Amino acid sequence: MLSKRTKYGIKALAHLARKAEREPVQTAEIAKCENISHKFLENILISLRKAGFLGSRKGKGGGYYLMNPPSQIKMTDVIRELEGPIAMVPCVSLNYYERCEDCPDEAACSVHALMIQVRDSTLRVLGENTLDDIAQDKRKLNSK
């Protein structure tokens, strides 16, 4: 399952991606529109800024904005930043590999083989979707 932190981070990024003018958006606006706790959202946005997804401007007219076009922000990158490894078990992770303590032979492990398939399917779906795709989906729903 995705953590609330990751879910809210994606919702906040999608909110910013739907802003045509790319001007800074205040945390309070995002929190209200996306039904997220202001304080929790602020911590998420700070993490996304430190990771290079967002920029911020202080003062009047300040807020957060995307550093890159939404079409260049892959969901694999967002998930890895907010959630950590995409793989469900460490022995199949491409970026955070760790051998499982309870497994004497990965090649013969049925869980390992299954989780490789899950990882590859998840990576394919996340890799084929950008922030723009997610923001566009909501735009399509709202226009109906």
Side-chain angles (χ1 to χ4, degrees), residues 31-65:
K32 182 179 178 187
C33 291
E34 300 297 333
N35 197 28
I36 303 170
S37 158
H38 186 275
K39 186 172 183 171
F40 189 37
L41 178 61
E42 185 64 41
N43 289 328
I44 296 167
L45 295 176
I46 289 169
S47 294
L48 290 169
R49 183 180 52 79
K50 287 179 181 176
F53 290 103
L54 300 177
S56 64
R57 188 178 315 152
K58 293 183 179 185
K60 186 176 170 95
Y64 288 93
Y65 54 90

Coordinates of all heavy atoms in Angstrom, one line a residue, residues 31-65:
A31 N -3.7 22.3 0.1 CA -4.3 21.5 1.2 C -5.8 21.6 1.2 O -6.5 20.5 1.3 CB -3.8 22.1 2.6
K32 N -6.4 22.7 0.9 CA -7.9 22.9 0.9 C -8.4 22.1 -0.4 O -9.4 21.3 -0.2 CB -8.3 24.3 0.8 CG -9.8 24.5 0.8 CD -10.1 26.0 0.7 CE -11.6 26.2 0.7 NZ -12.0 27.5 0.4
C33 N -7.9 22.3 -1.5 CA -8.4 21.7 -2.7 C -8.2 20.2 -2.7 O -9.1 19.5 -3.3 CB -7.7 22.2 -4.0 SG -8.1 24.0 -4.3
E34 N -7.2 19.7 -2.1 CA -6.9 18.2 -2.1 C -7.3 17.5 -0.8 O -7.0 16.3 -0.7 CB -5.4 18.0 -2.5 CG -5.0 18.5 -3.8 CD -5.7 17.9 -5.0 OE1 -6.2 16.7 -4.9 OE2 -5.8 18.6 -6.0
N35 N -7.8 18.3 0.1 CA -8.3 17.7 1.4 C -7.1 17.1 2.2 O -7.2 15.9 2.5 CB -9.5 16.8 1.2 CG -10.2 16.5 2.5 OD1 -10.3 17.3 3.4 ND2 -10.8 15.3 2.5
I36 N -6.1 17.8 2.4 CA -4.9 17.3 3.0 C -4.6 18.2 4.2 O -4.7 19.5 4.1 CB -3.7 17.3 2.1 CG1 -4.0 16.5 0.8 CG2 -2.4 16.8 2.8 CD1 -2.9 16.6 -0.3
S37 N -4.2 17.7 5.3 CA -3.7 18.5 6.5 C -2.6 19.4 6.1 O -1.6 19.0 5.5 CB -3.3 17.6 7.6 OG -2.4 18.2 8.5
H38 N -2.8 20.7 6.4 CA -1.8 21.8 6.0 C -0.4 21.4 6.5 O 0.5 21.5 5.8 CB -2.3 23.1 6.5 CG -1.5 24.3 6.0 ND1 -0.3 24.6 6.7 CD2 -1.6 25.1 4.9 CE1 0.2 25.7 6.0 NE2 -0.5 26.0 5.0
K39 N -0.3 21.1 7.8 CA 1.0 20.9 8.4 C 1.6 19.6 7.8 O 2.8 19.7 7.5 CB 0.8 20.7 9.9 CG 2.1 20.6 10.6 CD 1.9 20.6 12.1 CE 3.3 20.6 12.8 NZ 3.2 20.8 14.2
F40 N 0.9 18.6 7.6 CA 1.4 17.3 6.9 C 1.9 17.6 5.5 O 3.0 17.2 5.1 CB 0.4 16.2 7.0 CG 0.8 14.9 6.6 CD1 2.1 14.4 6.9 CD2 0.0 14.0 5.9 CE1 2.5 13.1 6.6 CE2 0.4 12.7 5.5 CZ 1.7 12.3 5.9
L41 N 1.1 18.4 4.8 CA 1.4 18.7 3.4 C 2.7 19.6 3.3 O 3.5 19.3 2.5 CB 0.2 19.5 2.7 CG 0.5 19.9 1.3 CD1 0.8 18.7 0.4 CD2 -0.7 20.7 0.8
E42 N 2.8 20.5 4.3 CA 4.0 21.3 4.2 C 5.3 20.5 4.3 O 6.3 20.7 3.6 CB 4.0 22.3 5.4 CG 5.1 23.3 5.4 CD 5.2 24.3 4.2 OE1 4.1 24.7 3.7 OE2 6.3 24.5 3.7
N43 N 5.3 19.5 5.2 CA 6.4 18.6 5.3 C 6.7 17.8 4.0 O 7.9 17.6 3.6 CB 6.2 17.6 6.5 CG 6.3 18.3 7.8 OD1 7.1 19.2 8.0 ND2 5.6 17.8 8.8
I44 N 5.7 17.4 3.4 CA 5.8 16.6 2.1 C 6.4 17.6 1.0 O 7.3 17.2 0.3 CB 4.4 16.1 1.7 CG1 3.9 15.0 2.7 CG2 4.5 15.5 0.3 CD1 2.5 14.7 2.5
L45 N 5.9 18.8 1.0 CA 6.3 19.7 0.0 C 7.8 20.1 0.2 O 8.5 20.3 -0.8 CB 5.4 21.0 -0.1 CG 4.0 20.7 -0.5 CD1 3.2 22.0 -0.4 CD2 3.9 20.2 -1.9
I46 N 8.2 20.2 1.4 CA 9.6 20.5 1.7 C 10.5 19.4 1.2 O 11.5 19.6 0.6 CB 9.8 20.7 3.2 CG1 9.2 22.1 3.6 CG2 11.3 20.7 3.6 CD1 9.1 22.3 5.1
S47 N 10.1 18.1 1.4 CA 10.8 17.0 0.9 C 10.9 17.0 -0.6 O 12.0 16.7 -1.2 CB 10.2 15.7 1.4 OG 10.2 15.5 2.7
L48 N 9.8 17.3 -1.3 CA 9.8 17.4 -2.7 C 10.6 18.5 -3.3 O 11.3 18.4 -4.3 CB 8.3 17.5 -3.2 CG 7.5 16.2 -3.0 CD1 6.0 16.6 -3.3 CD2 8.0 15.1 -3.9
R49 N 10.7 19.6 -2.5 CA 11.6 20.7 -2.9 C 13.1 20.3 -2.7 O 13.9 20.5 -3.6 CB 11.3 21.9 -2.0 CG 12.2 23.1 -2.4 CD 11.9 24.4 -1.6 NE 12.0 24.1 -0.2 CZ 13.1 24.1 0.5 NH1 14.3 24.2 -0.1 NH2 13.1 23.9 1.8
K50 N 13.4 19.6 -1.6 CA 14.8 19.2 -1.4 C 15.2 18.2 -2.5 O 16.4 18.1 -2.8 CB 14.9 18.6 0.0 CG 14.9 19.6 1.1 CD 15.0 19.0 2.4 CE 15.0 20.1 3.5 NZ 15.0 19.5 4.9
A51 N 14.2 17.4 -3.0 CA 14.5 16.4 -4.0 C 14.6 16.9 -5.4 O 15.0 16.3 -6.3 CB 13.5 15.3 -3.9
G52 N 14.3 18.2 -5.5 CA 14.4 18.9 -6.8 C 13.1 18.9 -7.7 O 13.1 19.4 -8.8
F53 N 12.0 18.4 -7.2 CA 10.8 18.4 -7.9 C 10.1 19.7 -7.9 O 9.5 20.1 -8.9 CB 9.8 17.3 -7.4 CG 10.2 15.9 -7.6 CD1 10.7 15.2 -6.6 CD2 10.0 15.3 -8.8 CE1 11.1 13.9 -6.8 CE2 10.4 14.0 -9.1 CZ 10.9 13.3 -8.0
L54 N 10.3 20.4 -6.8 CA 9.6 21.7 -6.6 C 10.6 22.8 -6.3 O 11.7 22.6 -5.8 CB 8.6 21.7 -5.4 CG 7.5 20.7 -5.5 CD1 6.7 20.7 -4.2 CD2 6.6 20.9 -6.6
G55 N 10.2 24.0 -6.6 CA 10.9 25.2 -6.2 C 9.9 26.0 -5.3 O 8.7 25.7 -5.2
S56 N 10.4 27.0 -4.6 CA 9.5 27.7 -3.7 C 9.9 29.2 -3.7 O 11.1 29.5 -4.0 CB 9.5 27.2 -2.3 OG 10.8 27.3 -1.7
R57 N 9.0 30.0 -3.5 CA 9.2 31.4 -3.4 C 8.5 31.9 -2.1 O 7.3 31.6 -1.9 CB 8.6 32.1 -4.6 CG 9.0 33.6 -4.7 CD 8.5 34.3 -5.9 NE 8.6 33.6 -7.1 CZ 7.8 33.7 -8.2 NH1 6.8 34.5 -8.1 NH2 8.0 33.0 -9.3
K58 N 9.2 32.7 -1.3 CA 8.6 33.3 -0.1 C 8.0 34.6 -0.4 O 8.2 35.3 -1.4 CB 9.7 33.4 1.0 CG 10.3 32.1 1.4 CD 11.3 32.3 2.5 CE 11.8 31.0 3.0 NZ 12.7 31.0 4.1
G59 N 7.1 35.0 0.6 CA 6.5 36.3 0.5 C 5.2 36.4 -0.3 O 4.7 35.4 -0.6
K60 N 4.8 37.6 -0.5 CA 3.6 37.8 -1.3 C 3.7 37.2 -2.6 O 4.7 37.4 -3.4 CB 3.3 39.3 -1.4 CG 1.9 39.6 -2.0 CD 1.7 41.1 -2.0 CE 0.5 41.5 -2.8 NZ -0.8 41.6 -2.0
G61 N 2.7 36.4 -3.0 CA 2.7 35.8 -4.3 C 3.6 34.5 -4.3 O 3.9 34.0 -5.3
G62 N 4.0 34.1 -3.1 CA 4.9 33.0 -3.0 C 4.2 31.7 -2.9 O 2.9 31.6 -3.0
G63 N 4.9 30.6 -2.8 CA 4.3 29.3 -2.8 C 5.3 28.3 -3.4 O 6.5 28.6 -3.6
Y64 N 4.7 27.2 -3.8 CA 5.5 26.1 -4.5 C 5.1 26.0 -6.0 O 4.0 26.3 -6.4 CB 5.2 24.8 -3.8 CG 5.8 24.6 -2.5 CD1 5.1 25.0 -1.3 CD2 7.1 24.2 -2.3 CE1 5.7 24.9 -0.1 CE2 7.7 24.1 -1.1 CZ 7.0 24.4 0.1 OH 7.6 24.4 1.3
Y65 N 6.1 25.6 -6.8 CA 5.9 25.5 -8.2 C 6.8 24.3 -8.7 O 7.8 23.9 -8.0 CB 6.2 26.7 -9.0 CG 7.6 27.3 -8.7 CD1 8.7 26.9 -9.5 CD2 7.8 28.1 -7.6 CE1 10.0 27.3 -9.2 CE2 9.1 28.6 -7.4 CZ 10.2 28.2 -8.2 OH 11.4 28.7 -7.9

